[in-house]
Amino acid sequence: MTVAAQSAPTPPSDTATQFNPLLFAYNMTEASKIWQDILKIVAQEDAFTTIPTTADPSIWNLASDYSQWMSSAMKDPAKLMQLSYTWMSNSATLWQETMQNFLETDTIPASNTPDTSGDKRFAGKAWQNNIFFDYLKKQYLMTSAWTQDAVEHLDEDLDEHSQKKLHFYTRQWMDAIAPSNFPISNPEVLQASLESNGETILKGLMNLREDFNRGKGRLAISTTDNKAFDVGKNLAATEGKVIYQNDLMQLIQYAPQTETVFETPLLLIPAWINKFYIFDMQKKNSFVQWLLERGYTVFVISWVNPDAQHKDKTLENYMTDGLLQAVKVVRSVTNTPSVSCMGYCLGGTLLATTLAYLHALGKQDIIASATYLTTMIDFSEPGELGVFIDEEQIQSIEAKMSKKGYLEGADMAATFNLLRSNNMIWSFVINNYLLGKEPFPFDLLYWNSDCTRMPAAMHSFCLRNFYHQNNLATPNALTIAGQKIDVTRIKTASFILSTREDHIAPWQSTYAATQLYNGDVTFALAGSGHIAGVINPPHKEKYGYWTGETKRGLDADAWLSHASEHVGSWWGYWHEWQARFQSAQRIAARAVGNERYKPLEAAPGSYAKLR
């Protein structure tokens, strides 16, 4: 069910900025109508299909973990009493100082309360200038810190995985109940609603209704202005053609922008959980555009957005019908013996898997060099993503996928958003729904929300073999296309880029690949996170990066302690590295396609537009 979105109603003629009870009442009446629309949407059965229920084994497992934690806590009542006493004592001190501040003109600092200066949720002046909200904020932060401290210090009877799950979900729940997330306890929201005579409430509910409609009954929080971008016009607009396609991917070749080009072509391999155009955003931050201006012949794989007909596709299919088929076409079109490849995130994991397979066959020379962007090969320490990986949760995901043959992209996006819930969920709840504002147009967040579905067989394979059992990093533990593979046999020269604030592929985990490959390895660490640290054009002069020698036995922290820091983007550093795999003489720019692989349609192609 979709409820028609309406423009804001025309208010009474008196629109003075001072508080107007009649105007406020009018806006509240209109808001109640929109709220009834929202209730009709969420009342649909489909709106609840993605919400975990008591039949979900992962929910029972988490409840069991908390029950076990409670039993562990009761075994040491002295420690529990000490923690409780600390909280009560600090709370009493805070209340005493708050009342003293209220009764006296001089401000007395609250010595036993958390520092809130770096917390964006409470950065507004309204939180500082009102003694009640200042107390509410400090009491919440104190209680949140105490709760997480109690979980950490009273979990001795739990295994490491259960401990990580409890810490993670405890933080999620404490973040969710922050006073900033509720209109009655957020002074900025109250102030805005009064100053606008309730218009912010009305607009916020309109935004909420629009997001429920867009999610077809599921709340799809807008993180950017979705109307500001159009794939093929102001995103993924670099000139090129689709020159090959099958049921898994389209292969795009970009038109040259220089008279001469490097001889060895470059194939870009995106992850299959988002669209390929992370490589080709707006012209000002398009990596593809930057590569073309420097004389590369650039190809990119655009994965299909799978549906039920793809349910039996495995990682093997993505390798044989995807990456290897793309390499075959690129070699034919460019008439070259080898191709340089660059894989992003899971695209890099696929690249390493393929190289291990090619080394097993003795055919590794068709790939001249390999670049891995924020790519995990050793999944032994996957960061907070690991809290979602255990047998019960995998079974739950597999049961969900069995109904449709795929995992909804929104499910994976929700998982990633939980890793940074204050930034990726609650900040937009406050901005969009409580303050009634429109999200800022941000191209990277638009791409981030343009997620794709995942075939059931392939996703199950990756969860079990990569994240759960770490088979890719274990020699001969994985069989692909009839070959046992071993990434430690890879001799292809590798460039590994990690990002220091990566919450999806922690840089210490991606660094671990330097200790696996058997060939020449160059490692660089960029500033910022999983997306912004990679898509960082040189002209912005942001973030910086670190470089240093890698060698066996050198762990990530030791590497960083001896690394050299550089200003600006890593792109130029990679460009210098890649020059090692090019002939001294450039050649005339190549035409797009050839007689066998003729252009089929203009880039970005139809697969990139499938929702």
Side-chain angles (χ1 to χ4, degrees), residues 341-358:
C341 292
M342 174 182 284
Y344 197 149
C345 190
L346 284 173
T349 307
L350 176 62
L351 174 57
T353 304
T354 304
L355 272 170
Y357 171 77
L358 290 173

Side-chain angles (χ1 to χ4, degrees), residues 120 285 344 374 420 442-445 497-502 524-547 560 564-571:
K120 294 181 181 180
N285 61 344
Y344 197 149
T374 62
R420 299 172 61 200
F442 189 12
D443 54 359
L444 293 181
L445 286 180
L497 177 84
S498 301
T499 54
R500 196 164 185 178
E501 299 171 21
D502 199 327
L525 178 65
S528 194
H530 192 74
I531 301 173
V534 176
I535 306 305
N536 180 28
H539 72 268
K540 289 188 175 182
E541 298 183 348
K542 294 177 66 176
Y543 306 133
Y545 63 97
W546 292 260
T547 62
L560 183 58
S564 300
E565 185 175 1
H566 309 272
V567 177
S569 173
W570 61 272
W571 291 11

Side-chain angles (χ1 to χ4, degrees), residues 75-380:
K75 289 181 179 180
D76 193 348
K79 185 182 289 186
L80 180 59
M81 289 182 64
Q82 178 60 44
L83 286 168
S84 300
Y85 174 78
T86 300
W87 176 82
M88 289 187 291
S89 176
N90 288 342
S91 294
T93 300
L94 174 62
W95 176 253
Q96 180 182 7
E97 293 181 346
T98 298
M99 294 307 298
Q100 197 167 358
N101 291 346
F102 179 71
L103 296 173
E104 300 178 3
T105 55
D106 294 332
T107 299
I108 300 176
S111 56
N112 292 318
T113 58
D115 178 18
T116 64
S117 59
D119 197 321
K120 294 181 181 180
R121 295 174 295 179
F122 308 111
K125 291 183 178 179
W127 288 102
Q128 324 302 329
N129 297 338
N130 183 289
I131 196 168
F132 168 75
F133 290 109
D134 180 68
Y135 167 78
L136 188 64
K137 166 192 65 180
K138 290 177 178 177
Q139 182 64 57
Y140 159 74
L141 290 172
M142 181 189 302
T143 302
S144 176
W146 177 87
T147 301
Q148 294 180 69
D149 192 47
V151 169
E152 180 178 354
H153 286 86
L154 297 170
D155 62 0
E156 296 176 356
D157 291 346
L158 276 69
D159 61 82
E160 183 179 358
H161 178 67
S162 296
Q163 289 175 353
K164 290 180 178 179
K165 283 174 62 178
L166 287 187
H167 298 168
F168 177 81
Y169 284 108
T170 299
R171 191 185 80 231
Q172 296 303 319
W173 290 332
M174 294 311 301
D175 287 347
I177 64 172
S180 53
N181 298 336
F182 302 92
I184 197 65
S185 55
N186 187 324
E188 297 173 307
V189 172
L190 291 173
Q191 181 178 347
S193 62
L194 290 175
E195 290 179 350
S196 67
N197 290 302
E199 187 176 346
T200 56
I201 300 174
L202 178 59
K203 288 184 176 179
L205 287 173
M206 293 176 69
N207 289 341
L208 183 63
R209 180 179 62 184
E210 182 178 345
D211 284 350
F212 268 118
N213 275 329
R214 190 167 53 86
K216 299 179 180 178
R218 176 175 181 162
L219 181 59
I221 301 175
S222 295
T223 57
T224 184
D225 181 357
N226 294 295
K227 300 181 181 66
F229 301 105
D230 191 346
V231 177
K233 292 187 178 180
N234 59 355
L235 292 177
T238 304
E239 182 184 355
K241 301 287 185 182
V242 174
I243 61 170
Y244 174 84
Q245 74 175 46
N246 57 28
D247 62 341
L248 271 184
M249 62 94 175
Q250 289 186 322
L251 182 65
I252 297 170
Q253 181 183 358
Y254 289 96
Q257 296 189 11
T258 55
E259 292 185 0
T260 62
V261 296
F262 294 114
E263 183 176 3
T264 303
L266 178 65
L267 173 63
L268 307 179
I269 311 154
W272 48 82
I273 59 177
N274 286 97
K275 303 294 179 62
F276 84 89
Y277 62 86
I278 185 62
F279 288 116
D280 188 27
M281 301 299 289
Q282 300 182 81
K283 187 174 183 178
K284 63 183 180 181
N285 61 344
S286 168
F287 187 53
V288 167
Q289 177 68 26
W290 187 86
L291 290 169
L292 292 170
E293 290 172 353
R294 274 143 192 84
Y296 288 95
T297 304
V298 181
F299 298 79
V300 66
I301 293 174
S302 175
W303 300 110
V304 73
N305 193 351
D307 53 29
Q309 66 177 316
H310 299 90
K311 64 184 180 67
D312 295 323
K313 297 292 185 181
T314 66
L315 187 77
E316 181 177 312
N317 296 117
Y318 275 71
M319 181 185 77
T320 56
D321 301 335
L323 178 50
L324 287 177
Q325 179 61 34
V327 169
K328 177 183 176 181
V329 175
V330 172
R331 292 173 67 204
S332 172
V333 169
T334 60
N335 193 30
T336 52
S338 60
V339 178
S340 286
C341 292
M342 174 182 284
Y344 197 149
C345 190
L346 284 173
T349 307
L350 176 62
L351 174 57
T353 304
T354 304
L355 272 170
Y357 171 77
L358 290 173
H359 275 74
L361 297 178
K363 298 181 179 180
Q364 64 273 13
D365 291 343
I366 65 173
I367 296 182
S369 67
T371 299
Y372 304 92
L373 308 178
T374 62
T375 294
M376 280 199 293
I377 306 301
D378 184 338
F379 288 78
S380 58

